[in-house]
Amino acid sequence: MNRRTFLAATAATQLASTLPRAQAATLPIKKAILYGMLPKQMPLLDRFQMAREIGFEQMECPQIDDPAEAEAIKKAADQAKLPIHSVMNGDHWRFPLNSNDPEVVAKSMKAMRTSLGNAKLWGAETVLLVPAVVSPDHSYAEAYKRSQARIRELIPMAAEYKVVIAVEEVWNKFLLSPLEFARYVDEFNSPWVKAYFDVGNIVLFAYPQDWIRTLGKRIVKLHFKDFKFQQNRETRKREAEFVNLGEGEIDWKAIHAALAEIGYRGTATVELAGGDRAYLADVSKRVDKILAGA
């Protein structure tokens, strides 16, 4: 580089540093809230209407066993014009699919069929499923093989109802790397089994933005939560505490960049503690800030 080239390059760098940085584009992601976060003392319709009024576009509801209650939820969602986009299966922890007890497995399969039925009734796109729970009595290898076998039994029903079984990574000591999670989903070779990615569940031991890039188009839905770490003075162990979005240690700008990179256009559901209208309205604004890359 000669002197003239060097001076030109230096001037260009200085000019660039004085220009305002381009703002990140707002992600085309729908905002949703968990049904359980809404004030339980409010009438059902009022809960749905409030969620819509404070900016949420969709709802994620739990598995509902009572047909009358399920119908009431559908009516409230329709009247409030707040679609239910996903169903959270309710029994995958109590009755894991990978159990070696046939009665436990039968209960787990029944719960999934109920969840798929809820999804069909409500017009939801997905059912969230924790696929297995590894424990001293249930090995990792068994969890992998058994859970896949039982999910395959559910695929015909999912296909008939046009509802995706969305496998979530969570603190179940299973699917502990993004490469394995991707392989697990791919091995079904079915459009009716995809990944439900929880940003907060990963941050305890990995980087969620890395998982997002690895899972890519396999991700059908997202959960947003945040954590703050602190040292327990007595045990000297690093412990995690749930906090509001943006108050923890998750690098939300890195999350924004990763989601933009993979072209994610689905829904992000907030999974936090519940509260009153003012608190939930603030949560809604925090999601807006994350999606804007601010």
Side-chain angles (χ1 to χ4, degrees):
M1 180 182 290
N2 59 35
R3 183 172 182 273
R4 179 178 294 178
T5 305
F6 173 78
L7 292 174
T10 301
T13 301
Q14 291 175 340
L15 176 61
S17 67
T18 63
L19 295 174
R21 292 185 179 180
Q23 289 186 340
T26 298
L27 296 172
I29 293 175
K30 292 182 175 64
K31 295 192 302 178
I33 187 170
L34 281 184
Y35 177 81
M37 289 177 61
L38 301 171
K40 295 178 176 56
Q41 70 275 14
M42 292 179 66
L44 188 58
L45 178 57
D46 291 351
R47 282 182 252 176
F48 276 79
Q49 288 177 332
M50 183 189 72
R52 182 174 176 81
E53 289 167 2
I54 61 177
F56 289 102
E57 301 166 278
Q58 295 183 341
M59 179 88 73
E60 181 169 76
C61 288
Q63 170 191 322
I64 300 295
D65 297 326
D66 179 8
E69 184 180 357
E71 287 286 354
I73 287 174
K74 173 178 170 50
K75 183 178 179 181
D78 290 346
Q79 288 182 334
K81 294 182 173 54
L82 188 75
I84 299 170
H85 77 94
S86 185
V87 179
M88 185 181 291
N89 179 255
D91 288 340
H92 43 215
W93 283 105
R94 289 191 301 160
F95 309 121
L97 278 178
N98 61 304
S99 174
N100 51 23
D101 183 339
E103 291 186 7
V104 171
V105 173
K107 290 177 180 177
S108 188
M109 294 291 281
K110 180 182 178 182
M112 269 302 292
R113 292 186 179 103
T114 298
S115 292
L116 287 166
N118 289 158
K120 182 182 179 183
L121 173 67
W122 296 333
E125 302 160 352
T126 56
V127 168
L128 182 156
L129 172 66
V130 175
V133 180
V134 175
S135 69
D137 299 323
H138 299 90
S139 74
Y140 203 109
E142 288 174 339
Y144 198 103
K145 182 178 180 180
R146 289 176 179 173
S147 62
Q148 281 195 334
R150 284 148 191 171
I151 290 172
R152 285 191 177 97
E153 292 178 33
L154 294 164
I155 289 176
M157 185 176 185
E160 179 186 349
Y161 289 177
K162 295 181 169 50
V163 176
V164 172
I165 298 171
V167 177
E168 188 186 43
E169 92 299 338
V170 69
W171 304 327
N172 52 343
K173 303 184 187 299
F174 187 57
L175 302 179
L176 297 177
S177 87
L179 296 174
E180 183 183 38
F181 195 179
R183 186 185 74 181
Y184 183 88
V185 171
D186 288 347
E187 286 173 348
F188 289 102
N189 193 29
S190 170
W192 304 109
V193 181
K194 295 188 179 181
Y196 201 127
F197 184 68
D198 188 307
V199 172
N201 286 345
I202 293 304
V203 77
L204 296 177
F205 58 87
Y207 300 98
Q209 58 268 30
D210 177 32
W211 282 59
I212 289 169
R213 291 188 173 94
T214 301
L215 292 173
K217 298 298 183 181
R218 300 172 185 86
I219 299 174
V220 66
K221 293 291 168 69
L222 294 168
H223 267 164
F224 279 0
K225 64 164 69 88
D226 211 337
F227 290 98
K228 181 166 59 179
F229 299 104
Q230 57 186 8
Q231 197 80 7
N232 188 309
R233 294 182 180 179
E234 296 181 0
T235 64
R236 296 184 179 180
K237 291 182 179 180
R238 195 175 184 226
E239 296 179 346
E241 172 190 3
F242 282 102
V243 294
N244 206 340
L245 300 176
E247 295 181 4
E249 300 191 22
I250 290 180
D251 185 344
W252 288 106
K253 290 186 177 181
I255 299 297
H256 180 282
L259 291 172
E261 187 176 313
I262 69 168
Y264 179 76
R265 292 177 174 272
T267 301
T269 302
V270 178
E271 188 178 21
L272 297 169
D276 60 15
R277 183 187 180 101
Y279 161 77
L280 296 174
D282 177 64
V283 169
S284 178
K285 291 177 182 177
R286 289 170 187 252
V287 179
D288 290 337
K289 184 176 180 181
I290 289 169
L291 297 182

